Amino acid sequence: MTDHHRHPHGAFVPEEEDELRLPPELKGRLTKFVLRLQQQQASTNISDDKRDKHQEQRHQQLEQKIQSLEQKCSALEAQAILVSVQQLDLLARGMAWVCSLSVLGLYLYLTGRFTSVVYHLLDDYDDNGDNHWSLVHALWFSLTQGLLRGALWFVPYWYNETTHGALHRRFEVFAIAFLVIARVRLCRWRERMFILVDNDETSDTNQDKKQSIDDDDDDNNNDPEQQPQEQQDSYGTGITEEALWDANYEVSARFLYVSIIRLRGLWTKTAQYLSSRADFMPPSYVRELKRLQDEAPATDWSDIKDVIPPHILNALTNVDTQPLASASIGQVHTATLKQTGEKVCLKVQHPHARSLIQDDLWSLKVILKVVAWMEPDYEFLEILMREWAKESVHELDFGKEAQNLRDAQTALDALYPTRDAVLYTTINGGGGDKISFQVEVPRPFDDLCNEQVLVMSFCEGVRIDQFDQLRAWKLSRPAIVDGVAQAFAHFMYTSAIFQSDPHIGNLMVRPGTTQSEEGFTIVVLDWGLAKRLHETKRLAFCELALAAATFDFGLLLDSYRHVGLEMKRENAALSMQNIRFFLRDMAPAAKARKRIKAKIKHDEKYRSTLPKNQRVPMKSKAYPGDFLFFVRVNELLHGLGSKLQVDLQYMDLIRPYAERGLRQSELYNSNNHTGIQSRRERIPPHVKAPGSDKVLESKLVCLFDVLRLEGNFAGAQFYALDKSGRTLANVVAGHQGGLKSHVPMELDTLVLGFSCTKAIVATMAHIMVKEGYLDYDEPICSKSIWPAFCPTQKPPKALEEALVRTPVDADDDTTKMSLDELSQRWTWKRRITLWHVLTHQAGMWSALPAQMTMKSFGSCETCCAAFEYNDENPEETLLPEYGPGQRSEYHYLSFGWLVAGSLCGAFAKRHNMVSVSFEAVYKAILHPRLSLETRTSGFRPCGGSGGHALAKTCTGDIAASKLLQRRRESLAIGEADDAEAKEQAATLDRLKQFRGKEFLLDPRGWNSLDGVEANTPAAGGRFSAAGLAHFYHELGTGRILDPEIVQDVTELLVHDTGLSALQGATSTMAAHGTKGSRGEDDSDNRTCLGCGYQLIRFDKDVDMNHPSAFGHAGVGGSIGFHHKTTGMSVGLMLNKADGGQEITLRIMKEFAEHFGI
């Protein structure tokens, strides 16, 4: 082989000594090849500057071509949109004209037939007479017929002139509505036919390609003829769902704008509302319709002047004939008062506004009737329309608007302590301080106002969407929205009137206040559409807002009832989710629209799982009209926030005003009208009907005062009796909690006892055992007690089909089990006895009815029935988790239902009754054994007030229910944080049994109307401390039960370690792992249980296996007990559910140390 060397430029050349050996032909070719390589290499050595310049030129050329193409595309797009709009407009007009001419033609035809009939009748009458026709008679008859036909033909012209073309206008409205709806339907059809189908086909094609690429790879590479051809996209391929709808919105928005400009009337106001909903409406609608905010078609001054009475014109000068703004009902001109020289606004109604508005309301009524006929679940829209029509009529009377302005000024006077006072935003300004602001409404001149003319003071300012001016004034947009929201919250929740049309055209702002040049002033215009609420409805809206802001499920359902909303099926969690979304935080437009779209899709998916008659959650005919304006104002405010691109925590902002509105009402007996009173305002502890032990009472008064100052305390009652029934101490402290925190706690105020109620239920059981109704060791499913609890020896076939796992079931489906497990758990259920239940050993500690609402939760009979087997819903059957007697776990709620079901069943069997209520059993078994003192001092184990004042159960810890609810809400709006969910996975798993029953985790639910009347045997009793102390005194001294029975059932039977937080404080011993007062190791912190009672241990007890007291404690620290050694009985009631056991322990220790126990 011949050696070669490498040329510096990379080409290979033969060595000198080998040149003569090459053939001439090959040598020539090689030389040409080398020269060609050298030329190519030289061409690549162009300087970098020239290459950069060349690239820059190419780049500029491309940019110019792109700009040119963009301009052409924009022009073509604009032309296409305008052509489509023009076509729709012509089509709508054509449809309207066809309908109008058809009606006219039908009318002319009918009038012609009518005149012909009249002619023939007269002709027949003349023929029957004796007279013959003469020329005079013929001419007279023809003239009469002509005049009649002419008069009838003149009627359409007269009707059209007097109604300003109402009939033709209606046809135009219907045609426009039809075309807009048709375009939406067509767009949905295109989406289904092309977008979704294309996506499915694309995914299938990609999958097929992925599966076959390996098989065809070798053949395709070796055979050029078999190489896959590049697929050509057909026209329209690749368009997205969003692009499809955007194109539809662009055309429809312009079409609506053109149509509304022509129609005016009510539709202008509708457009103003839609353009204010930037959080909901597509940008194209907002952009096009916002021009109608204050730029609606104006009426010429010559026509407007005829509407103004002479005495008003004579009182004005310098009237500007060009309107300052024009809206659907009237237009505004500036002028000056002759007498004072003050600049004023002259608002004059359009000449035909009343007839147009009323005609449009009729058209809207027809449209909604058609909708209600097609979709009966949406019949409530017609109710809302009637409410809208009623208020719109008032808007046509400018005299009423003048009165509204005066009432609004009165409401503002209540907002400020003094005329020059200011409010502050909830957000900080640039300097870190809150921003001051004031609110202003125009001032009417009463003697210059009538039904069609309104003269009012001129208010300086610009519209709040004038962003350039706001920047020039250095005004913060978030602060402005904050101020607007506070102003409307004040009007809606604390005053008798609110402006219900807060779109951008009715809101102005200017820098400074009456106090200084800092801050800003908000001007609220156009009080024609103002709403006055009855006091009960205003309070209901306050409850609604406060419940949403504080996750208060009970208050929410109460507010629904007071507003007048009737739900087809109660679902507190879903109702809370929906109302919190309605009052959601404000967000910029794009973010807000994304949330709303996600919520709509989520709701549609949820509704698809429901029966058709339940897809609209509320009863249509029970939809309150007042609710329309509450919704309208809040939605417009959200649209305002989106328009101004603001993030704002809306519920936190309105909460103080809703709370103020409730507190200043007679409902909560408040004397505070100037603001919200601090929840920690000092209400000193005091002694009511003092007992014999003054030293103990003084110690407790001091302790309660210390607890109040520490903050973890609301209200308390302490009552103690000695063994003879004499009062030792009677101390009351704090307030009644919640919205009644300004009302002092009283001696006979009833407080929710929670698990204190269990002792009363257990006492009833012991009485009935003594009287032979049932035995402790008899299975409660026996025929003589409660056979429906577990009716068959073996699991029913339907139960097996519902709960036994099959091969198609997922392995992680916890609702399924094996057949052997089902049989075992069914057997366990049949073995449960009353003794197992009373000692918390039934194995059903966490059992809750599958379908539970706040209303059903309050019905003892409904919840007891949920523990029975039901063939219709076998999947809801409740079964034990372990065998009865295996271990003791605190049955926090199921205890009451299991005992009550057993007692009611045994009572009904004894007395040959089909069924009996638990309250009836209580009145027959226990109530007669109680003294009058116990019954009248505050003792309601079956719930209700019995004429007593009720303390509010309050809590600051709603973390559990709040966590579940926030998780539900974040999933609904598509903002679920997976990372956060993983961190909270353990907590969410523990709370999964409460999904859909979140209200059970919030003790404030007991404050609701249903909660107050709830008969929940394990937790719903309401007591005063005196009532509870008297009950234990009578129980411990043998008045209710024989002392031998009391001694037996209060002996230590089991220890319970489960759910200690729900069992209350049952010992004054030192904390876990520390030394007790006697120096021994107090590591055993387990709850001691007797038969239905907790055993209370004190430091000085000699034998810790035989505690000296028995009773029962509840969540939040309430407790009642009888001290067997000394014979004293004590009742302690606390209304702060999250106060913890420490407060109870400190009070009990004070009591124990005083008596040396």
Side-chain angles (χ1 to χ4, degrees), residues 185-197:
R185 292 293 182 93
L186 285 173
C187 195
R188 288 178 180 170
W189 176 78
R190 295 188 194 106
E191 181 183 9
R192 290 194 303 269
M193 291 297 296
F194 301 106
I195 306 297
L196 300 181
V197 172

Side-chain angles (χ1 to χ4, degrees), residues 265 269 327-331 348-351 353 357 392 395-396 398:
K269 185 167 289 293
S328 56
I329 293 177
Q331 60 191 50
V348 189
Q349 195 172 116
H350 294 304
I357 293 291
S392 294
E395 193 176 8
L396 293 168
F398 286 179

Side-chain angles (χ1 to χ4, degrees), residues 774-928:
L774 70 171
D775 293 329
Y776 290 120
D777 297 325
E778 183 181 3
I780 62 177
C781 67
S782 65
K783 292 183 179 180
S784 61
I785 301 179
W786 193 7
F789 179 68
C790 196
T792 60
Q793 291 289 336
K794 295 182 179 180
K797 190 67 176 176
L799 185 62
E800 293 181 5
E801 295 175 353
L803 297 184
V804 173
R805 182 178 289 110
T806 62
V808 298
D809 293 323
D811 295 335
D812 59 350
D813 188 352
T814 57
T815 62
K816 301 291 185 178
M817 62 190 76
S818 66
L819 180 59
D820 291 341
E821 182 183 357
L822 175 62
S823 299
Q824 184 181 52
R825 294 176 68 176
W826 185 262
T827 302
W828 288 343
K829 188 173 184 180
R830 289 190 57 79
R831 287 168 44 197
I832 294 174
T833 66
L834 180 61
W835 186 266
H836 291 136
V837 177
L838 291 174
T839 56
H840 297 268
Q841 298 182 87
M844 304 186 72
W845 68 276
S846 63
L848 295 173
Q851 303 296 330
M852 183 185 288
T853 64
M854 290 195 71
K855 192 171 186 65
S856 66
F857 175 68
S859 169
C860 177
E861 293 69 40
T862 301
C863 291
C864 288
F867 283 79
E868 301 173 351
Y869 173 71
N870 185 352
D871 267 328
E872 296 181 0
N873 299 292
E875 69 282 355
E876 297 179 0
T877 301
L878 299 173
L879 298 172
E881 296 184 13
Y882 51 84
Q886 290 184 6
R887 63 179 182 270
S888 176
E889 288 193 77
Y890 191 61
H891 290 47
Y892 55 95
L893 284 174
S894 56
F895 174 93
W897 295 319
L898 290 171
V899 175
S902 303
L903 301 188
C904 290
F907 189 91
K909 297 295 182 184
R910 167 75 69 89
H911 297 283
N912 296 319
M913 303 167 67
V914 177
S915 62
V916 63
S917 69
F918 178 70
E919 186 170 5
V921 175
Y922 162 75
K923 289 181 177 180
I925 298 298
L926 180 58
H927 190 264

Side-chain angles (χ1 to χ4, degrees), residues 132-142:
H132 296 284
W133 278 95
S134 65
L135 181 60
V136 175
H137 287 113
L139 290 174
W140 177 85
F141 184 71
S142 299

